[in-house]
Amino acid sequence: MKKIFFLILLMITFIVIALSLSVGSVFIPIKSLLFLSPMDEYMKMIVFDLRLPRILMAFLVGMLLASSGNIVQIIFQNPLADPYIIGIASSATFGAVIAYLLKLPEISYGIVVAFICCMVSTLLIFKISKRGNKIEVNTLLIVGITLSAFLAGFTSFAIYMIGEDSFKITMWLMGYLGNASWNQIIFLIFPLIFSSAYFYAKRNELDILMLGDEQAHSLGINIAKLKFHLLIVSSFVVAYSVAFTGMIGFVGLIVPHIMRSIIGPLNARLIPFVLIYGGIFLLICDTFGRIILAPVEIPIGVITSILGAPFFLYLALKKSRRK
């Protein structure tokens, strides 16, 4: 059953990629994409210089955000935890905007400033929300929302200080893939390979963490060290994603929850499925954003928020009814 579902996801991936290459303000026939009919130079430029890099960017960022969301949910042992909701993404955004304000190189947005801000806020949230060996969910959400609001104020002030480029930053803050390039894709591949390999290598420890901290401790797991390393890698992933594409929320909430309900909680299977579906999900959202009001684009962060906010409310109400 899992193999069939995996094949279905792969088929959906190819179909979505083909449709995303084809549709938009300029329609590219499927026959031309399959090289069954010739493409002129204008079509080639649209496909290979604009749409294909954007498609790959959406897919890679979706994989990064979904995998990070899965890990954050396991660390905090709560399906409501998400880098966007608990303030991790907001801190990365703040760091990236500060880097832009200081006129630092683009690559430093994610590797240096955004990552440092993201890491500090993540550890702060983790420390404040922890009570003994447990994470207080209400405290987690309150701290995350408060931190997001606090940093949003500084981010808005930084954007004000930027001046004439503020519209460009505002578009980026809403989640924007229009500036995708082959160089950015190369930069994104390395953190994706590293984080995916690390998370998969820790799949057994992640399964044990899902049993609870006390159970994990009794089985010989160094909980503090493991969670610290997982948080570092998760923060790095979020910072990298935010630096290149801005704020894209709720991907890390929706995708892991859906995949966990379909294929189960075992991370040996869950991690690959979360990666693939995360890429598909974000690519579908970006494609809809491009075609709904074409030639005007809806920022991808707007699409994911429209889908994610009701989903978050559903999960929150479902969790409260269980108590």
Side-chain angles (χ1 to χ4, degrees):
M1 183 65 181
K2 302 295 187 299
K3 292 182 179 179
I4 295 175
F5 184 60
F6 186 76
L7 291 174
I8 291 173
L9 280 181
L10 287 179
M11 289 177 60
I12 293 173
T13 301
F14 288 118
I15 291 172
V16 172
I17 289 175
L19 289 175
S20 187
L21 282 171
S22 178
V23 299
S25 56
V26 176
F27 177 75
I28 308 294
I30 296 293
K31 288 184 177 181
S32 298
L33 295 174
L34 297 175
F35 301 103
L36 298 177
S37 62
M39 280 194 294
D40 57 34
E41 292 300 319
Y42 181 62
M43 285 185 177
K44 287 180 181 178
M45 183 192 72
I46 292 174
V47 171
F48 295 106
D49 294 339
L50 299 177
R51 290 186 184 172
L52 190 55
R54 181 167 181 157
I55 288 169
L56 293 176
M57 174 77 84
F59 208 87
L60 293 174
V61 171
M63 294 172 79
L64 287 168
L65 292 175
S67 64
S68 176
N70 179 48
I71 299 303
V72 169
Q73 288 175 12
I74 294 173
I75 292 173
F76 290 101
Q77 297 176 19
N78 190 278
L80 298 179
D82 170 75
Y84 179 79
I85 295 170
I86 65 176
I88 297 175
S90 297
S91 59
T93 304
F94 171 73
V97 170
I98 294 301
Y100 184 91
L101 186 63
L102 296 175
K103 302 185 185 303
L104 297 177
E106 185 182 69
I107 189 62
S108 69
Y109 294 5
I111 293 181
V112 183
V113 186
F115 172 61
I116 292 173
C117 292
C118 195
M119 189 66 236
V120 170
S121 66
T122 302
L123 293 176
L124 180 65
I125 293 168
F126 181 75
K127 186 176 181 61
I128 295 176
S129 304
K130 191 173 182 180
R131 294 292 182 272
N133 291 325
K134 294 183 179 180
I135 299 295
E136 293 289 340
V137 178
N138 292 334
T139 305
L140 168 70
L141 294 176
I142 291 171
V143 173
I145 293 171
T146 303
L147 182 63
S148 295
F150 181 74
L151 291 177
F154 281 99
T155 302
S156 298
F157 177 71
I159 293 173
Y160 173 77
M161 294 298 294
I162 287 171
E164 60 183 16
D165 289 336
S166 59
F167 179 75
K168 176 183 175 182
I169 299 299
T170 301
M171 281 289 294
W172 170 79
L173 282 174
M174 291 190 288
Y176 186 62
L177 298 174
N179 293 326
S181 66
W182 291 106
N183 288 334
Q184 290 181 342
I185 289 168
I186 292 171
F187 279 122
L188 283 170
I189 287 175
F190 292 108
L192 177 63
I193 293 174
F194 168 73
S195 61
S196 300
Y198 179 77
F199 293 149
Y200 193 78
K202 297 294 181 181
R203 61 191 181 279
N204 294 328
E205 287 94 330
L206 289 169
D207 290 339
I208 295 173
L209 277 181
M210 294 178 70
L211 299 175
D213 287 354
E214 294 180 2
Q215 188 80 353
H217 181 73
S218 66
L219 293 173
I221 299 294
N222 189 332
I223 302 170
K225 183 179 179 180
L226 176 61
K227 287 189 174 183
F228 178 73
H229 290 163
L230 289 170
L231 279 173
I232 289 177
V233 178
S234 297
S235 299
F236 179 65
V237 166
V238 173
Y240 232 106
S241 302
V242 168
F244 285 108
T245 60
M247 288 281 283
I248 302 177
F250 295 104
V251 178
L253 174 72
I254 296 174
V255 174
H257 186 81
I258 291 177
M259 288 296 100
R260 200 175 289 118
S261 65
I262 294 175
I263 67 170
L266 293 179
N267 282 278
R269 293 195 296 262
L270 182 62
I271 290 173
F273 277 99
V274 165
L275 285 167
I276 294 175
Y277 185 62
I280 295 172
F281 176 78
L282 199 62
L283 178 55
I284 291 174
C285 290
D286 185 53
T287 303
F288 271 110
R290 286 196 299 110
I291 66 175
I292 290 175
L293 298 177
V296 177
E297 292 185 11
I298 301 175
I300 191 171
V302 174
I303 302 293
T304 58
S305 295
I306 291 173
L307 296 174
F311 192 81
F312 175 76
L313 180 62
Y314 162 75
L315 289 180
L317 292 175
K318 183 178 179 181
K319 188 174 181 63
S320 65
R321 287 169 183 168
R322 288 178 179 176
K323 294 182 179 180

